[in-house]
Amino acid sequence: MAFFHAWRFTHFVAEDGQRTDSPERLTPADKVWLLATGVRTPKPRNHTLPTFPYATVQLPGPNGRLASWYGAVPRARGTVALFHGYTSSKSQLLHEAGYFRSLGYNVLLTDFAGSGNSAGYRCTVGYHEAANVAAVVRWLQRKPGPVFIYANSMGAVATLRAEAQLGIRPTANLLECPYGSMLATAQSRFRSMGVPAFPMANLLVFWGGAANGFNAFNLDATAYAARITTPTLLMWGAADLRVTRTETAAIFAALAGPKQRQDFSRSGHEPYWRQHEALWQRTVAGFLNRQ
């Protein structure tokens, strides 16, 4: 049963249809059904195109072909590479990309392997996605100008692993709500359903890693942070039910380089500009201006 859940959690389905709702919005009957059958998640798609001029770029990646949108600006100050979260796609970051362009930065938005227009259907919640981050950053670093990373949730964890274990070094990171570890995020999903986390969360993490060729207990953003000297802005929503204050504090404390933290009151596991656009813009622009 745990292997079945882990497989469904890390493999999207090809056909379109309704995905399993978030745990916080499920009825008691839905939760019982979910525990018996596992999640069903259609491959995330891009339903919106950029309104700014862009080129479609196909990049080779170790997990399959990566689909990106590259939006250049005149006399760019650098390039921001944007990476999305779990069950998301690059089109979900178009608002942020537009703001970075207004600040004078090129943008490159990429679908992780398994999502959007990129190859495959598998998602490892940050582990293999780290190799996608590394491939994108290395491609950008062959172009003129500094490279910045903006990533949220799973994308933020993939970024931390790419820097700690795969050797990339961008100019700076802007990270939103990375989870503390794979075990912590599995435990939070069970708690959000009102179900005891032990032992199912532990079994889910074990089989999720085994099914995808890695030790998921070692997928640990806090441990990665201790090896990162890149200047990093860490952002978190104070109403986030999936990533706790304790996890965020541990990651921030572990970061080995220059760092800044910004919390957003009332924001959950969501883009912070939705409720705090002015604060989000000031925070992001101020951090970039100091690099």
Side-chain angles (χ1 to χ4, degrees):
M1 180 179 178
F3 179 86
F4 177 70
H5 274 265
W7 182 267
R8 294 283 295 268
F9 190 74
T10 57
H11 290 77
F12 301 135
V13 295
E15 65 270 17
D16 292 330
Q18 185 175 2
R19 58 167 290 187
T20 302
D21 212 342
S22 63
E24 296 85 358
R25 299 169 65 179
L26 295 174
T27 66
D30 290 335
K31 292 178 181 178
V32 172
W33 180 253
L34 178 60
L35 289 170
T37 63
V39 297
R40 178 190 182 280
T41 306
K43 181 176 180 175
R45 301 295 183 183
N46 293 296
H47 299 293
T48 307
L49 294 175
T51 57
F52 51 79
Y54 72 98
T56 298
V57 179
Q58 303 291 336
L59 300 177
N63 312 321
R65 173 187 49 79
L66 301 175
S68 300
W69 291 327
Y70 183 67
V73 299
R75 299 178 298 279
R77 301 170 62 186
T79 302
V80 178
L82 295 91
F83 298 102
H84 61 80
Y86 178 68
T87 68
S88 187
S89 66
K90 62 182 181 290
S91 63
Q92 299 299 310
L93 295 171
L94 285 172
H95 181 93
E96 293 90 331
Y99 182 63
F100 289 126
R101 282 174 52 85
S102 75
L103 295 176
Y105 295 91
N106 303 324
V107 294
L108 183 71
L109 303 89
T110 301
D111 288 319
F112 281 122
S115 296
N117 300 113
S118 290
Y121 295 91
R122 183 175 68 167
C123 173
T124 57
V125 203
Y127 186 84
H128 290 305
E129 289 73 18
N132 298 168
V133 173
V136 168
V137 170
R138 287 171 180 147
W139 184 79
L140 284 174
Q141 287 177 331
R142 293 195 290 269
K143 298 177 175 294
V147 176
F148 304 88
I149 293 180
Y150 176 86
N152 59 43
S153 194
M154 177 187 79
V157 175
T159 296
L160 292 171
R161 179 173 181 264
E163 295 183 33
Q165 296 191 331
L166 304 184
I168 67 161
R169 180 67 186 271
T171 301
N173 301 315
L174 300 89
L175 306 180
E176 293 188 345
C177 56
Y179 60 80
S181 68
M182 188 70 255
L183 179 59
T185 198
Q187 290 170 335
S188 72
R189 292 185 71 88
F190 279 96
R191 284 194 296 266
S192 67
M193 295 175 60
V195 177
F198 183 83
M200 281 301 297
N202 301 70
L203 290 170
L204 186 68
V205 171
F206 173 79
W207 285 115
N212 292 286
F214 68 100
N215 183 351
F217 290 103
N218 289 339
L219 185 53
D220 189 329
T222 307
Y224 300 150
R227 301 178 58 183
I228 291 171
T229 58
T230 305
T232 299
L233 167 63
L234 180 63
M235 294 173 277
W236 177 71
D240 196 331
L241 299 178
R242 300 187 187 182
V243 176
T244 66
R245 184 182 298 274
T246 301
E247 290 174 82
T248 304
I251 293 171
F252 186 72
L255 287 166
K259 52 191 174 182
Q260 176 185 338
R261 175 172 166 177
Q262 178 64 56
D263 294 353
F264 295 85
S265 63
R266 304 186 310 279
S267 288
H269 203 72
E270 60 183 328
Y272 302 134
W273 58 262
R274 288 180 181 170
Q275 295 195 59
H276 305 278
E277 183 150 25
L279 175 59
W280 179 83
Q281 289 183 352
R282 287 197 307 273
T283 302
V284 166
F287 179 77
L288 288 172
N289 287 337
R290 290 189 292 272
Q291 305 312 308

